[in-house]
Amino acid sequence: MGCTFSGLNAFYDAVNSGGDVWINENRFRIVRQLGEGGFAYVFLVKEVLADTSSDAVQSGLRKKFKDSTHLSDDGSYALKKVLIQNNEQLELVKEEIRVSSLFSHPNLLPLLDHAIIATKPTQERSWNHEAYLLFPVHLDGTLLDNAKTMKGKKEFFSTSDVLQIFRQLCAGLKHMHNFDPPYAHNDIKPGNVLITRRKGQPPLAILMDFGSARPARRQISSRSEALQLQEWASEHCSAPFRAPELWDCASHSDVDERTDIWSLGCTLYAIMYGVSPFEYVLGESGGSLQLAIVNVQIKWPAGPTPPYPEALHQFVKWMLQPQAAVRPHIDDIVIHVDKLISKFSN
């Protein structure tokens, strides 16, 4: 792994009480907590440079990166801290770091730096390692955050912004799917899409969280392999955005990157309406999310006035084919979204 961590024996205490932390050679000040989930916490941090004179422009992270595209002008970053309790969790974090380091694309969130340290479990702490992952920070939040805010205000993205946001997700995903071997993200959803609003331009969309990303193509040749895949998917692929073949996997089948295309179709619907096309069943007595997905029971809510063009609804349906073998590939999706952008751009 090559993970190193310097001078950080008191890192845990620093994170929890404020203060400075080090990731390898670089120093950061904890500003505030941005979020948490499971055993992970995300903090807003600010890089502290030893020399703040004009000669120090190439110090700190800037010294490490020739390409400064993802480096912050004001030194602000997001620091993800993961508490690791066993070897299985440790391997998952190492895999996330490895996969995150594979990709380089403006619409995929880059991992800027990382470190893993061993810790001694105590009565208060049951974990034996802590991982620290440093990313660019996007303070406008995720597509999910934006959807909640917009719903409260009864606002919708314009047709043009819907398509531009979606086009950027497609570009990032195409980079993953065209890898050799192709990688599937496996958890495309509004909560994993960062949105940055830009004056006079469509929002910037960046796909994040590669903790579930894996080589996409798998041959399932037995019932036990099919059940293993279903169990893995239930832990790593969010239910409202999970493809039918991951709910009910055939004993002899090929699974490929088009599981992501299903999630992408659900996410396009969510860019328009704020939720997955199948979440409505969760509010119904006796409703089954799995049945709604497997049977592709989509409901179209009342949209903006005027409503979204029917071509967008048809685009969603094209991606939500229950049989993966007839679902389009990402290259087909990109061609089609470009046609829609030229047709519906303001």
Side-chain angles (χ1 to χ4, degrees), residues 278-290 292 297:
F278 307 104
E279 283 180 84
Y280 69 88
V281 301
L282 300 176
E284 295 181 352
S285 177
S288 165
L289 187 62
Q290 180 175 347
Q297 296 167 337

Side-chain angles (χ1 to χ4, degrees), residues 5-285:
F5 219 80
S6 310
L8 284 175
N9 296 333
F11 188 92
Y12 174 80
D13 299 317
V15 165
N16 283 276
S17 59
D20 291 356
V21 298
W22 294 78
I23 299 185
N24 302 318
E25 314 82 43
N26 300 308
R27 181 182 177 190
F28 301 88
R29 183 156 295 153
I30 302 294
V31 179
R32 60 186 167 91
Q33 186 171 322
L34 294 175
E36 65 179 89
F39 292 99
Y41 301 82
V42 180
F43 299 92
L44 175 65
V45 298
K46 195 150 189 173
E47 186 172 17
V48 179
L49 298 175
D51 183 355
T52 55
S53 68
S54 57
D55 299 334
V57 174
Q58 292 305 317
S59 65
L61 283 177
R62 290 194 178 275
K63 188 177 180 182
K64 183 171 182 174
F65 291 95
K66 290 177 183 175
D67 177 9
S68 62
T69 307
H70 294 288
L71 298 184
S72 161
D73 291 336
D74 69 353
S76 295
Y77 297 95
L79 176 69
K80 179 180 176 182
K81 170 189 174 185
V82 186
L83 309 180
I84 300 166
Q85 295 186 295
N86 54 49
N87 284 339
E88 185 183 358
Q89 290 176 348
L90 180 61
E91 290 308 311
L92 284 173
V93 171
K94 286 182 177 180
E95 182 66 5
E96 179 178 356
I97 290 168
R98 185 191 72 80
V99 173
S100 297
S101 303
L102 289 175
F103 309 123
S104 177
H105 190 277
N107 298 111
L108 299 175
L109 187 69
L111 176 64
L112 299 175
D113 208 351
H114 66 273
I116 298 175
I117 59 168
T119 61
K120 286 186 178 179
T122 66
Q123 283 185 323
E124 293 80 25
R125 318 203 290 258
S126 60
W127 55 94
N128 53 26
H129 286 84
E130 295 167 5
Y132 300 93
L133 284 66
L134 190 75
F135 300 98
V137 67
H138 294 267
L139 291 175
D140 288 345
T142 65
L143 191 55
L144 181 62
D145 299 327
N146 278 258
K148 288 175 181 174
T149 303
M150 293 171 76
K151 186 178 180 182
K153 297 179 179 177
K154 295 186 177 175
E155 292 178 352
F156 294 85
F157 285 116
S158 67
T159 295
S160 177
D161 279 357
V162 167
L163 289 167
Q164 292 289 353
I165 291 169
F166 186 72
R167 176 64 175 84
Q168 294 173 74
L169 292 184
C170 291
L173 198 62
K174 180 175 177 175
H175 182 73
M176 296 180 69
H177 285 193
N178 288 352
F179 226 71
D180 186 15
Y183 269 75
H185 182 280
N186 287 316
D187 201 18
I188 299 167
K189 60 182 181 180
N192 281 337
V193 179
L194 290 162
I195 291 290
T196 298
R197 293 180 179 270
R198 304 177 293 182
K199 196 171 184 181
Q201 295 183 67
L204 172 67
I206 294 179
L207 186 61
M208 68 169 185
D209 195 346
F210 303 100
S212 300
R214 295 289 183 276
R217 295 176 182 174
R218 293 180 60 168
Q219 281 189 319
I220 305 299
S221 53
S222 68
R223 189 66 196 140
S224 65
E225 285 184 6
L227 292 172
Q228 273 184 327
L229 179 60
Q230 284 175 209
E231 185 179 347
W232 183 87
S234 71
E235 293 176 10
H236 293 88
C237 312
S238 298
F241 297 85
R242 192 186 310 158
E245 61 270 24
L246 299 179
W247 286 94
D248 186 14
C249 182
S251 299
H252 296 277
S253 60
D254 291 332
V255 175
D256 65 21
E257 59 272 25
R258 283 175 288 184
T259 54
D260 276 349
I261 300 300
W262 176 278
S263 305
L264 200 59
C266 293
T267 301
L268 174 56
Y269 180 105
I271 298 170
M272 293 190 276
Y273 301 115
V275 294
S276 147
F278 307 104
E279 283 180 84
Y280 69 88
V281 301
L282 300 176
E284 295 181 352
S285 177

